[in-house]
Structures are given as C-alpha cells and as structure tokens.
C-alpha cells in the first residue's frame, strides 16, 4: 500500500461506490445512448487525438487513426449493434433431474471497476476496455500511463463531456497513484501491461477477492517455412513488427526461419527496408519513436548484449538518442544465453533463429513462457496443425500479423504469463459481467421429492437409478 494518501482519489472512489447501484440499474437503451455519445465526442476530437499521439510518439496520422481510433470506433459500433442481444437473459436446457424447471443465465454488472491502461496504445487501450465496462453497467476509474501525457489530456476531455465523475473518471498520476488505487476494494480490475506488474495487480486484487483480467505480453514467435513467397512474408513481418515502432504487445518478437532461407531473408529484408523507408529510415514520416529514454536504453542494451556475445547484425544497430530513434535492426547467429532471447523486446529489433525441423520449432517455443500470439507463414497445413496442437499461446494467426485482435467474434487474451481472461466484443462484455445462474424448480418434479429425508430403501433405488442413467 502506498504510504502517501490522495484525497482526490478517495473522493472519486467514494462517489462511484455510492453510485454503483444506480449505474447497475441503467437500461440497455441508456447505455447505448452513452456509447453513441462517446462515439460522437471521439469523432469531434479526431484531430486532437491524432495531434496528441504525434506529440507522445511521433505517430503518423494514418497509423494513429488505423491503430488507435479505428479499433475504438469499431468496438463502440459493435456494442451498439449487439448489446441488447448480449445482455439478454439466456435460457439453458435441463436434464431429466430438472424436468419442468426453468434455468437461465442473467448478466449482472460486476460493480466498481478499475481499468489500468498502458502507454503503448494510450488512446485505444484506455477506451476499448471502458466500452465493455460501461456497456455491462459498471462504474470505472481509468488510470492511464503517465508516459503519454498529451493523449491523457484528450482522453480526460472526452470522458468529461460524456460521463459524470461518479460514473467514469480518469485519474492522472504515476506509480504512487496506481499503488494507492490498487489498495482500494474494487469489484473488478482490468490491467494491460507487463507480466511483472501483472503479478502485483493480481496480488492486489486477491486481497479483496476482486476478479482480475490481465492483458500482458510475451515473446511472440513468427515462423517461416519457405512455402510462401519470401517477399510477401518479409513485407508482412516488417509491417507487423514496425507498427508503433515495435511497441506492441502482439508484435512478432522473434523469427523462427528454416535454415536454408536465412541468406535470402536477409537480402530481401534489406531490399524491402530501403524500398519502403529509404536509405535513412529516420527521415521516414511513417516510423514512430520510442516512448522515452528508459525504454530506448533498454532496447539498445539488449542489442549490444547480443552483439557482444557474438551475434551478427546485417542491418540496423544505429541510434539517435536525442530523437529517441532506433533504426530497425536485424540480428542473426544469436548466442543461446543472449538477453534478447528471454526479455520481451518492445522495439524495432528482429532476432532471427534458424531451425531444421518442426520439432525444433515447438521445443524452442515450449521451453519459454507462453506467448500472447504465435504467427505462422506457411502453405503447409500439416505443419500449421502440428504447431497449433503442440504449442500454447494466447492466439495463432496464419499468414498475417496483428489482425486477429480486430476480428469481431474472436476473444483477445493470453494464457498464464501472457495473460488471464478475455477481452473485446462479446467476450469483453462477459468479462465485465457476472454470469448469474437462475434456476426456478418445478415443485411437482423437484428432485428433493424423491431424495429428501427420511432416507429409505426407495430413496436408495432412486439414487441407484440416477447413478446408472443420469
């Protein structure tokens, strides 16, 4: 628990605790109206959001709109269209024991929620989970990362125009404020960030037996077997890695490539980089920057550690500290003990690992923590199926990168070290809801009519029949 106290946080917290029942009683129509209002305010603030993301990351307009605004607007529209159906009570079938009974699942709000969002997609990840939270009928305190101050200001302005503070409130601050919030009793905590901090969040939730959703990270592999055109593979791999300059939780973290393809991949990689970004990628308006010096130094240290250990660098390894610029970097022949093979990179660095057979692939992946995503570039369905069924990951995407997070009917989340719980779409609504079973038993056929006290030989016969047939 933080030693420092924050009266403002206490005030907002108590306002939302007192208001939670009123928010839980809001109708689906009222929640949809709030979502429409949120959509409208986001559209009105479109230019301000793009400008803020450029200040925080030097993100291009296209990248800001396609990776930050579009996913949020898409999620809002998905909820507006489907919330009535998702929130409706669902009848379930009975077996013979409950003949004549009525059984259903009722979705109720969890209550007071805390959403802790990260810096790498500061607009998208703060809002997309808030959409599910308020659609489910909860209150929310949103604690964004302090590393994206310009975006946070725009977020705060939008929230203030859509919600009362006793419903939704953004809280500024750093580690102390986050720690203080985690000392409070929430009904649900949604955290996006690193596994290290995820463990702290989970421990904080356990103190109050709060449910917790963790969207973490991990070293997501990208497998290349050579059955697809190498130029296409290189193009897609570079796009998936360099979106947000590699600062994406589902970015491919390292390449697993068939050994005989190594030299062809290297030459194709260099050709594509020069064709796409020019001889000096720093001059390209399409590449974002590293968020701050701490992460800049961490990434540079990982690369230097690998090279000092004997790795080769056919492209990259150039830095402009004053610009937070790291040239996209390709590493080969990496020593087994290099730090970059164990720590999530979160930057524009491509470590390449070669393999000879499919068993080497699965062993390399399974010897590490379970990744958030796993990418396979192949036409070989047998290889694809083998990897899917012999590895564990939050998701598998074949012949593309990143796009699975945009699918409206697929859940997003990790497994163990890469995350707990599911988000987005219907899965996000259910994550912020309690699925409450309601059973209304038909008294003429109630099971207790046959197995209630006093126990007799007839009771035993009924139990025997149940054991045998039901």
């Amino acid at each position: 628990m933080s030693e420092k106290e924050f009266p403002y946080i206490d005030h907002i917290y108590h306002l939302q605790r007192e208001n939670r029942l009123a928010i839980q009683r809001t109708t689906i129509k009222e929640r949809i109206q709030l979502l429409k209002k949120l959509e409208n305010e986001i559209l009105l603030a479109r230019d301000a959001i793009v400008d803020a993301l450029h200040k925080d990351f030097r993100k291009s307009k296209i990248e800001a709109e396609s990776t930050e605004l579009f996913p949020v607007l898409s999620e809002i529209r998905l909820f507006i269209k489907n919330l009535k159906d998702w929130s409706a009570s669902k009848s379930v079938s009975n077996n013979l024991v409950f003949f004549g009974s009525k059984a259903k699942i009722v979705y109720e709000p969890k209550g007071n929620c805390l959403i802790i969002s990260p810096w790498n997609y500061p607009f998208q990840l703060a809002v997309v989970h808030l959409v599910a939270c308020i659609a489910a009928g909860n209150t929310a305190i949103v604690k964004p990362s302090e590393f994206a101050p310009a975006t946070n200001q725009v977020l705060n302005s939008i929230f203030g125009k859509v919600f009362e503070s006793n419903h939704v409130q953004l809280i500024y601050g750093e580690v102390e404020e986050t720690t203080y919030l985690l000392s409070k009793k929430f009904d649900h905590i949604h955290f996006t960030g690193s596994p290290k901090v995820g463990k702290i969040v989970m421990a904080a939730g356990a103190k109050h037996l709060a449910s917790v959703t963790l969207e973490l990270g991990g070293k997501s592999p990208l497998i290349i077997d050579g059955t697809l055109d190498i130029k296409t593979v290189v193009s897609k791999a570079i796009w998936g890695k360099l979106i947000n300059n590699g600062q994406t939780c589902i970015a491919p973290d390292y390449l697993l490539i068939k050994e005989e393809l190594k030299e062809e991949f290297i030459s194709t990689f260099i050709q594509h980089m020069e064709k796409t970004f020019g001889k000096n990628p720093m001059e390209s308006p399409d590449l974002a920057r590293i968020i701050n010096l701490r992460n800049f130094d961490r990434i540079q240290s990982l690369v230097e550690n690998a090279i000092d250990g004997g790795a080769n660098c056919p492209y990259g390894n150039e830095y402009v500290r004053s610009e937070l610029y790291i040239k996209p970097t390709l590493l080969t022949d990496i020593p087994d003990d290099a730090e970059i093979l164990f720590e999530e990179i979160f930057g524009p660095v491509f470590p390449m690992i070669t393999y000879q057979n499919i068993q080497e692939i699965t062993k390399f992946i399974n010897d590490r923590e379970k990744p958030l995503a796993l990418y396979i570039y192949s036409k070989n369905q047998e290889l694809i199926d083998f990897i899917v069924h012999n590895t564990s990951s939050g998701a598998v995407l074949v012949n593309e990168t990143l796009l699975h997070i945009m699918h409206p009917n697929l859940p997003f989340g990790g497994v163990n070290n890469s995350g707990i719980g599911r988000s987005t779409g219907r899965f996000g609504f259910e994550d912020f809801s309690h699925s409450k079973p309601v059973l209304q038993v038909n008294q003429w056929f109630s099971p207790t009519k046959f197995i209630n006290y006093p126990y007799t030989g007839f009771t035993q016969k009924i139990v025997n029949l149940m054991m045998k047939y039901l």
Side-chain angles (χ1 to χ4, degrees), residues 405-426:
I405 194 173
M406 297 171 61
H407 197 290
N409 298 316
L410 289 176
F412 179 78
V415 54
N416 296 129
N417 196 70
S418 57
I420 296 172
R422 291 292 178 265
S423 301
T424 66
R426 180 172 194 151

Side-chain angles (χ1 to χ4, degrees), residues 304-427:
E304 291 176 348
N305 170 265
I307 293 174
D308 290 345
N312 291 313
C313 180
Y315 186 88
N317 193 28
E318 295 177 11
Y319 310 88
V320 181
R321 186 177 173 83
S322 62
E323 292 287 328
L324 293 173
Y325 168 77
I326 296 177
K327 185 177 182 179
T329 297
L330 180 64
L331 295 175
T332 66
D333 308 303
I334 303 165
D336 293 340
D337 60 350
E339 294 173 3
I340 203 164
L341 296 184
F342 299 93
E343 182 179 327
E344 186 177 7
I345 301 169
F346 232 60
V349 183
F350 300 76
M352 177 193 289
I353 311 298
T354 60
Y355 71 89
Q356 293 181 330
N357 57 64
I358 194 170
Q359 286 75 23
E360 288 182 57
I361 297 174
T362 53
K363 184 178 188 311
F364 192 91
I365 295 169
N366 291 333
D367 282 347
R368 287 156 174 76
E369 296 282 6
K370 298 174 183 178
L372 184 55
L374 189 153
Y375 302 105
I376 307 170
Y377 281 88
S378 175
K379 291 181 181 178
N380 184 341
Q381 194 60 47
E382 184 179 348
L383 177 139
I384 294 168
D385 292 341
F386 184 86
I387 293 171
V388 168
H389 295 295
N390 288 276
T391 60
S392 179
S393 60
V396 174
L397 183 57
V398 180
N399 298 335
E400 279 293 355
T401 54
L402 311 186
L403 295 185
H404 60 290
I405 194 173
M406 297 171 61
H407 197 290
N409 298 316
L410 289 176
F412 179 78
V415 54
N416 296 129
N417 196 70
S418 57
I420 296 172
R422 291 292 178 265
S423 301
T424 66
R426 180 172 194 151
F427 302 94

Side-chain angles (χ1 to χ4, degrees), residues 257-274:
I257 185 167
K258 205 142 189 197
E259 192 165 359
E260 57 263 34
L261 298 171
K262 175 183 172 182
E263 296 305 323
E264 183 181 5
F265 184 93
I266 292 171
S267 61
T268 306
F269 178 94
I270 294 171
Q271 290 170 12
H272 184 81
M273 287 297 301
E274 292 181 349

Side-chain angles (χ1 to χ4, degrees), residues 236-299:
K236 290 174 181 285
I238 288 176
W239 178 82
K241 182 67 167 180
L242 296 187
I243 285 286
N244 204 29
N245 208 12
Q247 298 165 118
T248 304
C249 61
I250 53 173
D253 193 89
Y254 61 94
L255 308 172
L256 281 168
I257 185 167
K258 205 142 189 197
E259 192 165 359
E260 57 263 34
L261 298 171
K262 175 183 172 182
E263 296 305 323
E264 183 181 5
F265 184 93
I266 292 171
S267 61
T268 306
F269 178 94
I270 294 171
Q271 290 170 12
H272 184 81
M273 287 297 301
E274 292 181 349
K275 179 181 177 181
T276 304
F277 301 107
K279 292 289 185 180
N280 183 9
M282 183 176 167
E283 296 176 355
S284 170
D286 296 335
L287 287 180
R289 294 294 185 259
I290 303 302
I291 185 66
N292 55 31
L293 282 173
R294 187 176 76 179
N295 282 279
F296 179 96
D297 291 339
R298 181 187 58 80
I299 297 165

